[in-house]
Amino acid sequence: MRKTIFIFAALVIALLSLFQLSKYSVLTGSTKIEIVIACIALLFFVIGVIINKRVLHRQKETSTVIDQQKIEELGLSKREYEVLCEIASGLSNKEIAQKLFVSESTIKTHVSNILVKLDAKRRTQAIQIAKELRIIIQ
Amino acid sequence: MRKTIFIFAALVIALLSLFQLSKYSVLTGSTKIEIVIACIALLFFVIGVIINKRVLHRQKETSTVIDQQKIEELGLSKREYEVLCEIASGLSNKEIAQKLFVSESTIKTHVSNILVKLDAKRRTQAIQIAKELRIIIQ
DNA sequence: ATACAATTCATACTTTAGTATGAGTGCTAA
DNA sequence: TTAGCACTCATACTAAAGTATGAATTGTAT
C-alpha cells in the first residue's frame, strides 16, 4: 500500500514537471507543439494501459486465490487438504498413498473424513464442492 | 474485423483534428496550454484503458469457451458428452441414470467409452483431462 | 503430566465404479 | 435395402471406493 502511494506521488510530480517543461519549450519555440502533444498522448495511453492491467490483475488474483480461512472453518487438517488436492488431480487412493508415502488405508481414512467435512457423498462431488468454496485451484 | 478498422480510422481522424484544433487555439491565445494538454492526457488515458480492457476481455472469452472441435476430434457422442458433464458435476452413475431416464448399465457403458476416448483410468481423471482440453466449463 | 488433535495403520465389510461381452432398436447415408 | 453408428440394456465379473471400528504414535497446549 505504501509502495502504491509512493509510486502515485512520484508519477504526479513527474507529470507536473512535464507540464512545465512542455509549456516553456513551446513558448520558447524550441519544440514543435505537435511533438509535445504526441509525447503526452503516448505517455498517458501507456499509463492507462498499465493501471488498467494492474487493477484487472488484482481482481483476477482475488477470484482465483484459495480461501485459506474456509479450509480452517471446515476443520480440514493439513494432511486432509493435501489428499483433497490429489483427489482433484484425478489420482486413485493407491496412487495418492504412493505419492505421500503412506498406506492406502490411511488415505481411505483421510478421504472418509474429507467427505464428511465437505458434506459430499463421493470424491467427484467433493471436487465440485471444493471448487465452489474456492478451496482448490481451477 | 471491419468494425475494428472503421473505429480505428475514425479515431485517427478525430485525433488529427484535435491536434490542429489544439495547435491553433494555443497559437491564437484563446485557450491555455495546460488545459489542452490535460484534455489530451485524459483522453489518451481513457483510450488506453478501453483498448486494454477489450484485449483482455477477448483473451478471457477465448480461455473459458468450450472447444467444440476437440469434442468431435475425440469422437465423443452427444450422449457421452452429456454423461461427462454430469460426472464432472459430481453425480454417481445411478444418479446420472435417473437424471437422463436410462438404466445404470447404460451409463456404465457410456462412462467406459468416455474413459477410453479421454484416455483416463478413472472418472476423476476424466474430469481433469476434460478441463485441460477445455471440453467442460471450469 | 495429561488431555487432545492429527496422523498413521489394520481388518472386515458394503457400495460404487469399471470391464467384457452380447444383443436389440432406430436412424441415416450409400 | 443394408451397413454402420448411436443408444439402449443385461449379466457377470473385477477393481476401486467408501464405512465402521479400533488402536498406536506423536506433537502440543493447558
Side-chain angles (χ1 to χ4, degrees):
Chain A
M1 198 59 201
R2 276 183 194 173
K3 198 178 168 187
T4 310
I5 292 171
F6 180 76
I7 290 173
F8 200 74
L11 209 63
V12 169
I13 292 169
L15 290 176
L16 288 175
S17 310
L18 197 72
F19 266 37
Q20 292 302 315
L21 184 69
S22 61
K23 188 179 169 186
Y24 286 111
S25 65
V26 169
L27 289 180
T28 55
S30 63
T31 316
K32 279 191 178 177
I33 192 165
E34 285 95 336
I35 293 173
V36 174
I37 289 176
C39 286
I40 289 171
L42 187 67
L43 179 69
F44 273 85
F45 179 80
V46 172
I47 289 172
V49 169
I50 289 172
I51 288 181
N52 191 248
K53 214 158 228 166
R54 288 221 173 174
V55 171
L56 288 181
H57 189 253
R58 200 173 301 160
Q59 284 179 353
K60 199 181 177 185
E61 268 191 353
T62 53
S63 71
T64 49
V65 98
I66 33 176
D67 194 342
Q68 208 71 34
Q69 201 191 329
K70 204 123 224 167
I71 297 173
E72 284 179 35
E73 282 175 24
L74 292 167
L76 278 176
S77 74
K78 202 194 295 179
R79 202 59 159 169
E80 283 164 356
Y81 180 71
E82 275 186 281
V83 173
L84 176 60
C85 292
E86 300 301 341
I87 289 173
S89 73
L91 299 185
S92 69
N93 288 340
K94 195 178 286 181
E95 287 169 338
I96 298 171
Q98 287 169 350
K99 193 166 182 181
L100 300 183
F101 303 108
V102 293
S103 78
E104 192 185 341
S105 67
T106 303
I107 301 301
K108 282 190 177 185
T109 307
H110 287 319
V111 172
S112 257
N113 292 331
I114 291 168
L115 295 182
V116 171
K117 288 174 182 178
L118 286 184
D119 194 27
K121 290 177 189 168
R122 285 162 296 282
R123 49 170 58 212
T124 48
Q125 200 182 359
I127 295 172
Q128 193 60 22
I129 292 171
K131 270 188 302 191
E132 281 171 12
L133 294 176
R134 301 194 183 290
I135 282 177
I136 56 175
I137 30 180
Q138 296 152 38
Chain B
M1 197 62 199
R2 275 183 195 172
K3 197 179 170 187
T4 309
I5 293 170
F6 181 75
I7 290 173
F8 199 74
L11 210 62
V12 170
I13 292 169
L15 290 175
L16 288 175
S17 310
L18 198 71
F19 266 35
Q20 293 303 314
L21 182 68
S22 59
K23 188 179 168 186
Y24 286 112
S25 64
V26 170
L27 289 181
T28 53
S30 62
T31 314
K32 280 192 177 177
I33 192 165
E34 285 95 336
I35 293 172
V36 172
I37 289 176
C39 286
I40 290 170
L42 188 67
L43 179 68
F44 272 85
F45 179 82
V46 171
I47 289 172
V49 169
I50 290 172
I51 288 181
N52 191 248
K53 214 157 232 166
R54 287 223 172 172
V55 170
L56 288 182
H57 190 254
R58 199 173 301 163
Q59 283 180 354
K60 200 180 177 186
E61 268 191 351
T62 53
S63 72
T64 46
V65 98
I66 19 179
D67 194 342
Q68 208 72 33
Q69 200 191 329
K70 203 125 227 167
I71 298 174
E72 284 179 35
E73 282 176 23
L74 292 167
L76 279 176
S77 73
K78 201 194 297 178
R79 203 58 160 169
E80 283 164 356
Y81 180 71
E82 276 186 280
V83 173
L84 176 59
C85 293
E86 300 300 342
I87 289 174
S89 73
L91 299 185
S92 70
N93 289 339
K94 195 179 286 181
E95 287 169 338
I96 297 171
Q98 288 169 349
K99 193 167 181 181
L100 300 183
F101 304 106
V102 293
S103 79
E104 191 185 342
S105 68
T106 303
I107 301 300
K108 283 190 177 185
T109 308
H110 286 318
V111 172
S112 256
N113 292 331
I114 291 168
L115 294 183
V116 171
K117 289 175 182 177
L118 287 184
D119 193 29
K121 291 176 188 168
R122 285 164 294 282
R123 49 170 58 211
T124 49
Q125 200 183 357
I127 295 171
Q128 194 60 22
I129 292 171
K131 272 188 300 193
E132 279 171 13
L133 295 176
R134 302 194 182 291
I135 282 177
I136 56 175
I137 29 179
Q138 292 156 40

